[in-house]
Each structure stands twice: as structure tokens, then as C-alpha cells.
Amino acid sequence: MFEFTFNISEREKILDHLADELNVTIENDVLQLPPAFGDGYIRREKLPNKLESLIFNFTLADDFWLNRKKSDKEYYVFVCQEIDHDGKLITEVDKSKVEVRDTHVSQMYLVSFLSDLRQFTPVRSRVKGVRVIISPEWLSGHLRIDRMEDVLQRYLQLKARSVHMKDMDMESRELLQEVMSPPLDLHTDIHVYLQNRITMILENFFSWLHQHMGEEKGKGISKADINRMM
């Protein structure tokens, strides 16, 4: 079993720390996994507006625990991923635990660095997807919320109702496939191509989220309830 632990203060060097623990080098922002860990790669890609992303496409050769420590700094991670496995996926957020036994998972969701996060993926799992680290300033501007406090409160409301998670739609699935397998006759810079596809996936998710936030407007929990949740 392999475990990797990190926190928000290392967000720009997450891939470097993982490479150190796997005893491999990163070339052109791509980490090729060693055979003992898996077959495939993790790629670092900078997005417009100072967003940071990781592209992952691999099959695990060992059980894997990802441990992310909580922080007082308000940051979020957008996840778009497909996982095929023959065991169970485990996600632990603080003291809450969810196990998924569906052999195919295809989903998009938003999680906060304000909580401890542990995720387990079993050996032989086929994993492909994108993770984007998002600042509250970007989130506020994109979701058209003026105050940072409102961003956090609305997020907690969505989290409480499990509205922030959704199955991947067909368009996002096709975009993710294009990220995983760029055309051989690509007529533009690979970075521009990847940035475009990932940004479109983000747009799809946040358009959906913004719509649900609009539907939920006026049905929110009180600030006292929010404080108790925190």
C-alpha cells in the first residue's frame, strides 16, 4: 500500500513531492509512474487566471491512500474523474466516511481545503481525470458572489444537501477523453489545447452549479446554523 500526504501550502509543488516519494524525476511537467506504483502518468498544467491543474491517467499496481490535510486558508479543488475498479472507493471528510462499490465511477465535484480529506483507491483501478485548485477569489468572481463569506456559506449549504456532486455529463466526458487522448495531428500548442478543454469542463460544472445555486436561493439555512456546521 502506498500513501501520499500533502497540504495547501505545498499546492504548487504537489507533483514534485510525489515524485520525491516515488523516487522518479519529472520531465516537461510530466511524472511517469514507476512500475511498482502503476502504469501511466500525472501531468501538471497551468490554466488561465492563475489556476493550477493536474491531469492523471494511470492504472494502479498497488492500493493507494491520498491524504490531504486541512488548512485555515480557504481553497477548493474541482475534481472531474472516471474510475474503473473491482474493489471499493473510500472517501473520508473529517469524520464522515463514504464507500462506493460501483465498478465504474464518473463524476464531477467540488471539495474544500477547510476539511481533512482521505481517499482510497484499490489496486488495479483505472483512473483518469483532472483536478484543479481554485482560490476563493476565482470562485467568488465566477459564481457572481460579491462577498467571500457568502461563497463559503453557499458552499456549505450545497455540501449539506449533496447538491455539489454530479454525474459527468456527455459533453464533459467527451472533453475529458480529448484531454486524455489529444489528436495526433494537433494543429495548435498542446498547452493551449489542454487549457481549452479543461476550462470548458470547468465552465460546464460551474454553469450547472450556478443554476442550482439560483434554484436554492431563498431556501438557505441561517447563519447560526452555518456557524454550528463549521
Side-chain angles (χ1 to χ4, degrees), residues 59 70 79 91 94 97 112 131 134 179 198 216 230:
T59 300
K70 68 180 178 181
V79 181
T91 297
D94 290 334
K97 180 178 179 179
S112 169
R131 294 190 177 220
I134 298 172
V179 171
I198 295 173
E216 294 295 315
M230 293 175 63

Side-chain angles (χ1 to χ4, degrees), residues 68 75-81 91-93 96 98 106-117 119 134 139 143 151-169 172 201-202 204-216 229:
R68 195 202 67 212
Y75 273 84
Y76 299 86
V77 178
F78 166 73
V79 181
C80 173
Q81 65 183 10
T91 297
E92 298 177 357
V93 180
S96 300
V98 177
S106 176
Q107 60 188 194
M108 300 190 292
Y109 58 90
L110 190 68
V111 290
S112 169
F113 269 91
L114 296 174
S115 299
D116 284 325
L117 175 70
Q119 292 182 305
I134 298 172
L139 189 64
L143 297 185
V151 175
L152 179 57
Q153 289 191 11
R154 189 69 62 84
Y155 170 75
L156 289 171
Q157 291 180 39
L158 291 172
K159 181 177 178 180
R161 299 188 179 103
S162 297
V163 180
H164 66 298
M165 299 185 68
K166 74 182 296 286
D167 293 333
M168 200 182 306
D169 56 83
S172 296
I201 293 173
L202 276 170
N204 286 347
F205 176 79
F206 281 107
S207 292
W208 170 84
L209 185 58
H210 189 270
Q211 177 183 351
H212 277 266
M213 289 172 67
E215 292 174 354
E216 294 295 315
M229 288 170 59

Side-chain angles (χ1 to χ4, degrees), residues 52-158:
E52 304 161 25
S53 71
L54 292 176
I55 301 168
F56 43 96
N57 188 355
F58 54 78
T59 300
L60 287 173
D62 199 357
D63 292 336
F64 178 47
W65 272 105
L66 177 71
N67 307 317
R68 195 202 67 212
K69 298 299 184 181
K70 68 180 178 181
S71 170
D72 293 334
K73 296 181 180 180
E74 183 186 355
Y75 273 84
Y76 299 86
V77 178
F78 166 73
V79 181
C80 173
Q81 65 183 10
E82 290 189 326
I83 303 177
D84 292 291
H85 65 100
D86 55 6
K88 64 181 177 181
L89 305 175
I90 300 175
T91 297
E92 298 177 357
V93 180
D94 290 334
K95 296 182 180 180
S96 300
K97 180 178 179 179
V98 177
E99 296 185 2
V100 176
R101 296 181 181 273
D102 296 339
T103 56
H104 178 75
V105 174
S106 176
Q107 60 188 194
M108 300 190 292
Y109 58 90
L110 190 68
V111 290
S112 169
F113 269 91
L114 296 174
S115 299
D116 284 325
L117 175 70
R118 279 170 49 83
Q119 292 182 305
F120 172 78
T121 308
V123 61
R124 293 183 296 278
S125 294
R126 176 64 178 171
V127 183
K128 57 183 180 180
V130 175
R131 294 190 177 220
V132 182
I133 297 178
I134 298 172
S135 69
E137 291 78 15
W138 186 93
L139 189 64
S140 174
H142 195 91
L143 297 185
R144 304 171 194 172
I145 303 173
D146 294 330
R147 297 167 57 205
M148 293 298 103
E149 184 180 18
D150 291 340
V151 175
L152 179 57
Q153 289 191 11
R154 189 69 62 84
Y155 170 75
L156 289 171
Q157 291 180 39
L158 291 172

